[in-house]
Amino acid sequence: MSATQTNGSGPKALDAIIIGAGFSGLYQLHKLRDELGLNVRVLEKGAGIGGTWYWNRYPGARCDSESYYYCYSFNKEIEQEWEWSERYPEHPEIRKYLNFVADRLDLKRDIQLETKVVGASFDDATNTWTVETESGETFKAPFLITAVGCLSTTNVPKFKGLEDFKGKWYHTGDWPHEGVDFSGKRVGQIGTGSTGIQAVPVIAEQSKHLTVFQRTANYSIPARNAPVTQDDIRLTRTHYDDIWRRARASTNGHPFTVSEQSALAVSDDEREEIFEKAWARGGLRFRAAFSDVLMNPKSNEVASNFLRSKIKEIVKDPEVAERLTPYDHGFATKRPPIDTNYFDTFNRDNVLLVDLKKEPIVEITEKGIRTTEKEYELDIVVFATGFDALTGALLSLNIAGSKGYQLKEAWAAGPRTYLGLQTPHFPNLFTITGPGSPSVLCNMPIAIEQHVDWITACIKDMREKGLKRIEAEPDAAEKWVEHVNAAADATLLPMASSSWYLGANVPGKPRVFMPYAGGFARYTGICDEVAQGGYRGFSLS
Ligand code: N01
């Protein structure tokens, strides 16, 4: 039976509290409320649902996964009813989709918006979490589930003088809902990751002048965005079962068939032809052209060289092309961006590239940005500088577990979880797509569904058996962290020293490879075995 809410100003009693109303929170609410019949509340700091897609409204913001599989797979009716308009949906369309799902499942009545969680603490005597919000409301429940996303705490570098800047500045991950008018403006953009690469072409078109401040040159594959046709829709709808089967059996949760061939097993001409085809098709699928691009340094080098040659083909000024060409890391060892006219944009007269490796930023001034070489006068600065990824949002919740142990303490040397689902000493706390799970290395909705399904089944089992407490064992977490490191070390991923996968983009953050790189299908198998084995590595009571 569900707990009931306390009247008056005391804590509201629930069966489960979910923090965040993006892809994860919505699905978790549906599962716990509509399948298990629990009394659940979602606490969401935004004024609307959508999570990442509520905040990320910068120019050019669209999904890098293709629309037909960047969506939920759990509901056949929704799957058959919803129609995407583009190969890569733009941010308003993804919000529309999530609102459609939330309305269809009547989720909004259990979502409390504009409710920022500022603290959560566990009481060992009652096995209950108490969650506190910024406005002073409190909620109590045996289970606390974070659905806060992996890329939701913005990283604004602490440049000297930012407060003196007379123009306007924005971070892409906290973009004004009314948009930004760039017309007639001199804009400076810092950052050339996936976000920056999406924003540059659009801002260049809309502004008088754009200066791009690049610290690390990046590879990018053309997205080849296009409208979705009625034929595409019919085909996808007919084949959804197969699409999801392939996605679940894959390494990255994308329904692609990855080539079984090494990039070194073919002749130079054949390899070139295969890369050309993958380039022409566009998108993240480029990685699947050969089996070992992320495993074998030589295969990675041939892929990287192909992409370097493309930059030189597209960018007319050889000096600019050279500055845009990455040499310090191999293709896809950092999250590979996909783009629409990114490199071509540097052929425009109103775009300037500043190489921060040659002239680092010294300070932000009243008028703009001063590097070691000169002052660039600007009206607007755009920070496309990424996120305090994977741990930032979780640590900002001020979580205190068993005996008051702080999550900040537990993760002082980097996140230490068991399966990315739980952290020792934090009983009954589940972290959807937490560090140590495939999360950001995956097509997110698939990774989210797998976690939510596992958590829901676990809570159901516990309730059926009358168990009140589940907690990851320290030994199991220790071994899992070792396995996460070994899985990363078996790939080339840890070699990109400036990668946010390693926390390298945030000064002072521990350098630990955070997501699980062992593959989505393998990970799912491990989680299933753990559950079937009576939750091996967890203590239950
Ligand atoms: O962030 P990033 P992002 N001075 O960290 C630079 C997802 N995403 O927002 O590489 C100067 O990748 C930094 O330089 P460096 C996707 O998973 C998904 O672009 O650290 N520059 C880099 O160039 C992606 O990977 C979609 O040397 C500084 C940039 O800022 C993730 O979000 C779309 C700096 C930050 O790049 C994050 O992407 C967009 C400083 N002090 C993004 N600090 C989808 O479609 C940082 N930089 C789903």
Side-chain angles (χ1 to χ4, degrees), residues 316-332:
K316 294 198 178 108
D317 180 332
E319 247 181 68
V320 177
E322 186 60 18
R323 273 183 271 145
L324 283 167
T325 305
Y327 294 105
D328 67 339
H329 66 284
F331 166 65

Side-chain angles (χ1 to χ4, degrees), residues 496-517:
S497 60
S498 64
S499 167
W500 60 258
Y501 294 152
L502 279 164
N505 62 326
V506 177
K509 190 164 171 169
R511 298 279 175 110
V512 175
F513 194 87
M514 294 180 284
Y516 177 63

Side-chain angles (χ1 to χ4, degrees), residues 58 62-64 191-195 215-216 334-335 384-386 500:
Y58 60 87
R62 59 175 74 248
C63 186
D64 285 349
T192 51
S194 295
T195 299
R215 187 164 71 179
T216 304
K334 294 175 80 167
R335 159 68 150 75
T385 44
W500 60 258

Side-chain angles (χ1 to χ4, degrees), residues 47-79:
I49 66 163
T52 290
W53 299 103
Y54 176 81
W55 302 102
N56 279 271
R57 300 176 188 228
Y58 60 87
R62 59 175 74 248
C63 186
D64 285 349
S65 290
E66 298 185 37
S67 52
Y68 74 90
Y69 65 86
Y70 189 77
C71 50
Y72 293 117
S73 72
F74 70 85
N75 186 306
K76 293 276 158 233
E77 285 160 22
I78 290 173
E79 182 183 277

